[in-house]
Amino acid sequence: MTTSLRPEQKAATVIVSLGVDKASKIYKYLSEEEIEKLTVEVAKLGHVEAKATEEILDDFYKTCLTQKVVTDGGLEYARTVLEKAFGESTANNLLQKVTQSLKSRSFGFIRKSDSKNLFSILQHERPQTIALVLSYTTEDMTAELISELPPEKRFKVVEAIARMESASPDGIKIVEDEIKRKFSGIITTDYTTVGGIDYIANVMNRMDRGNEKLIFEELGKKDADLADTIRKKMFVFEDIVTMDNRSIQRFIRECDMKDMVYALKGTNEQISEAIFANMSSRMRESIMSDMEVTVNVRVKDVQEAQQRIVATIRRLEEEGELIISKGGKDDIIA
């Protein structure tokens, strides 16, 4: 299965499939660091099944096509073309991937920046400025940096990211001047989607449960509808009850049983029943026995265990191993 391969391995598969002549032309556009990493992956690749190779090449072709139509005609034009060619669900996935790639190239320095240094630069900026810059970082880094902000500014930044829709090159230039940093040039003059509900929901999914609760409490006081909209886009531990049995069984196999014991110590009966119902009798008895002898568990330990389980669920969803129901249109056809 292609889901078992890392992105680097998929890139190596493409290079090998293209052959020496065509691959050498691609190498001309890569940095020395990228060439080194890619060459190592090619050397370690080994055998890839024909079907897996075909899937990887198909994904590569779709990504290239998506980037071209985004650059040539803008996001809405690209959406129309891709929906006609591949359907709404696939078009959304392709656009999300390519848009993130375009953003990463424009703000490449952030990927190489230490989070502490970036925080020292941003902490005194206006929430709107912080929100714009963080919309170009990874979701993990955004969650880390937001967690470090003072509580009042923390929920203002979350709100600002959630309300974002687009930013023009001129708007980006103002931020460049304001934070006195040199960014990479914008590779397209089209408006690029930044921030938004989906992005901040993913950020909140990566944040510790304590900060998540505090931010939603503060945001809920100011804009309950916005807070509710973000929540509906998130997957939290309590949402396990909305998952199908096969998906629950899949993530259980990946979880550390100590995390499962701690997580179940601090949850409600409905979630416990959903999880226990998808365990073998032996595993269920073992977990329940461990729960009985595990006492004086800190709330923080329970929250961290639940967060690790959620992270596992999200990773498996990204790999196509299970399904998370987030409301809205149902993408399952069979």
Side-chain angles (χ1 to χ4, degrees):
M1 293 180 66
T2 59
T3 53
S4 64
L5 297 179
R6 292 178 287 106
E8 295 86 351
Q9 292 173 310
K10 293 181 180 181
T13 302
V14 172
I15 288 295
V16 171
S17 301
L18 290 175
V20 176
D21 291 337
K22 293 179 181 178
S24 64
K25 294 178 181 179
I26 292 179
Y27 266 59
K28 294 178 182 179
Y29 296 94
L30 303 178
S31 66
E32 290 184 8
E33 181 181 359
E34 289 169 335
I35 290 173
E36 181 181 348
K37 289 181 179 179
L38 186 55
T39 302
V40 169
E41 292 297 337
V42 169
K44 296 190 304 182
L45 186 61
H47 176 69
V48 180
E49 295 290 338
K51 183 178 180 181
T53 300
E54 184 178 345
E55 290 178 8
I56 291 169
L57 291 174
D58 181 62
D59 185 57
F60 178 67
Y61 165 73
K62 288 177 180 177
T63 300
C64 291
L65 175 63
T66 303
Q67 185 161 320
K68 184 178 187 305
V69 292
V70 168
T71 303
D72 291 349
L75 287 171
E76 291 310 311
Y77 169 75
R79 188 180 301 279
T80 300
V81 171
L82 295 170
E83 285 183 356
K84 287 183 178 179
F86 306 117
E88 183 179 350
S89 178
T90 302
N92 287 336
N93 290 335
L94 290 169
L95 284 172
Q96 184 177 14
K97 186 197 311 182
V98 169
T99 300
Q100 185 63 44
S101 173
L102 295 176
K103 291 193 297 181
S104 296
R105 293 182 190 181
S106 299
F107 284 75
F109 85 92
I110 292 178
R111 300 197 306 277
K112 300 178 181 178
S113 175
D114 180 85
S115 59
K116 292 182 179 179
N117 291 333
L118 187 58
F119 176 75
S120 67
I121 294 165
L122 295 178
Q123 61 179 321
H124 301 301
E125 297 293 336
R126 296 177 300 115
Q128 291 79 7
T129 300
I130 298 173
L132 180 58
V133 176
L134 292 186
S135 291
Y136 286 86
T137 70
T138 65
E139 288 154 354
D140 285 328
M141 181 177 278
T142 298
E144 181 181 349
L145 291 172
I146 289 177
S147 297
E148 294 295 324
L149 293 170
E152 184 177 353
K153 182 172 283 190
R154 198 179 302 158
F155 85 84
K156 287 182 179 179
V157 170
V158 169
E159 180 184 21
I161 294 176
R163 293 189 184 282
M164 275 188 181
E165 293 182 356
S166 64
S168 68
D170 290 340
I172 301 297
K173 186 63 179 174
I174 293 173
V175 176
E176 291 175 354
D177 294 338
E178 184 176 351
I179 65 175
K180 295 181 173 69
R181 299 286 294 186
K182 293 181 180 180
F183 291 142
S184 302
I186 303 299
I187 67 173
T188 175
T189 58
D190 186 32
Y191 282 63
T192 301
T193 301
V194 294
I197 299 296
D198 288 338
Y199 180 85
I200 197 59
N202 284 330
V203 168
M204 296 296 289
N205 271 327
R206 287 165 165 78
M207 201 167 289
D208 65 272
R209 300 265 287 180
N211 268 317
E212 175 193 317
K213 182 179 179 181
L214 177 62
I215 289 172
F216 274 119
E217 285 178 353
E218 293 300 320
L219 187 59
K221 294 175 184 177
K222 184 176 181 181
D223 193 328
D225 289 339
L226 180 63
D228 186 54
T229 301
I230 297 172
R231 278 187 186 278
K232 288 178 180 178
K233 285 285 186 177
M234 291 176 61
F235 180 87
V236 295
F237 188 77
E238 288 74 17
D239 291 329
I240 286 174
V241 296
T242 67
M243 298 173 67
D244 63 274
N245 291 335
R246 178 189 169 280
S247 295
I248 295 176
Q249 292 162 15
R250 181 67 186 87
F251 82 73
I252 287 175
R253 295 201 301 269
E254 295 283 326
C255 290
D256 185 302
M257 286 303 101
K258 182 179 178 181
D259 281 343
M260 190 64 72
V261 170
Y262 275 57
L264 291 174
K265 288 283 288 188
T267 194
N268 61 48
E269 185 176 349
Q270 187 180 14
I271 298 173
S272 297
E273 288 178 353
I275 292 176
F276 282 137
N278 286 283
M279 287 182 175
S280 66
S281 299
R282 178 179 296 180
M283 181 182 290
R284 182 166 59 248
E285 290 172 4
S286 176
I287 293 291
M288 294 179 72
S289 177
D290 286 346
M291 288 176 65
E292 289 180 5
V293 298
T294 303
V295 295
N296 298 325
V297 178
R298 296 183 303 173
V299 172
K300 179 182 178 182
D301 292 334
V302 170
Q303 292 177 341
E304 289 177 351
Q306 291 178 349
Q307 191 173 354
R308 283 191 291 269
I309 290 174
V310 167
T312 297
I313 293 171
R314 294 183 67 256
R315 173 177 61 79
L316 290 171
E317 185 205 24
E318 290 173 359
E319 295 173 355
E321 292 291 310
L322 54 74
I323 297 169
I324 293 176
S325 176
K326 296 179 181 176
K329 294 182 178 180
D330 190 356
D331 294 327
I332 305 173
I333 59 174

